[in-house]
């Protein structure tokens, strides 16, 4: 059974930092592209950052220069370091895995990030 478990969310003041983690099990982590998405109330889920199997990263324009995605294949975990947080970063953040072999998608349950002004 595949599981993606996010952690590290919480309440932080604007300008602060948080580090999200997504621990995976039940899949071959090294052959999955990994991503972080977020969904704010009343808005569609959007891509925040992704890191492919080879290590190349991609970011939404709104977080470039502030957020950093990384992966540790030995720990089957993907991270999202979030710095200089803004109130508009408030959302539920979801971890996503997509198999390199067949494109199967997996999602975590989400972790709430709230940035106060």
């Amino acid at each position: 059974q595949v599981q993606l478990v996010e952690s590290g969310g919480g309440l932080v003041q604007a300008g602060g930092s948080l580090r999200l983690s997504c621990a995976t099990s039940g899949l071959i982590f090294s052959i999955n592209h990994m991503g972080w998405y977020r969904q704010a109330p009343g808005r569609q889920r959007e891509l925040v950052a992704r890191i492919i199997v080879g290590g190349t990263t991609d970011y939404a324009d709104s977080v470039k220069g502030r957020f950093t995605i990384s992966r540790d294949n030995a720990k089957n975990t993907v991270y999202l370091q979030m710095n200089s947080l803004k109130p508009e970063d408030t959302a539920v953040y979801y971890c996503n895995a997509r198999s390199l072999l067949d494109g199967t998608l997996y999602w975590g349950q989400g972790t709430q990030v709230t940035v106060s002004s």
Side-chain angles (χ1 to χ4, degrees), residues 37-46 48 87-94 112-113:
Y37 289 71
R38 66 186 180 188
Q39 187 167 19
R43 302 189 66 175
Q44 290 189 334
R45 191 173 296 189
E46 62 176 1
V48 175
E88 51 263 44
D89 294 319
T90 295
V92 177
Y93 283 71
Y94 297 91
Q112 177 70 47
V113 171

Side-chain angles (χ1 to χ4, degrees), residues 4-8 21-23 36 93-96 107-111:
L4 282 67
V5 180
E6 300 99 333
S7 61
S21 300
C22 173
W36 286 96
Y93 283 71
Y94 297 91
C95 177
N96 162 274
W107 291 93
Q109 82 289 347
T111 185

Side-chain angles (χ1 to χ4, degrees), residues 98-106:
R98 180 167 65 87
S99 172
L100 177 64
L101 297 182
D102 60 11
T104 302
L105 289 173
Y106 304 98

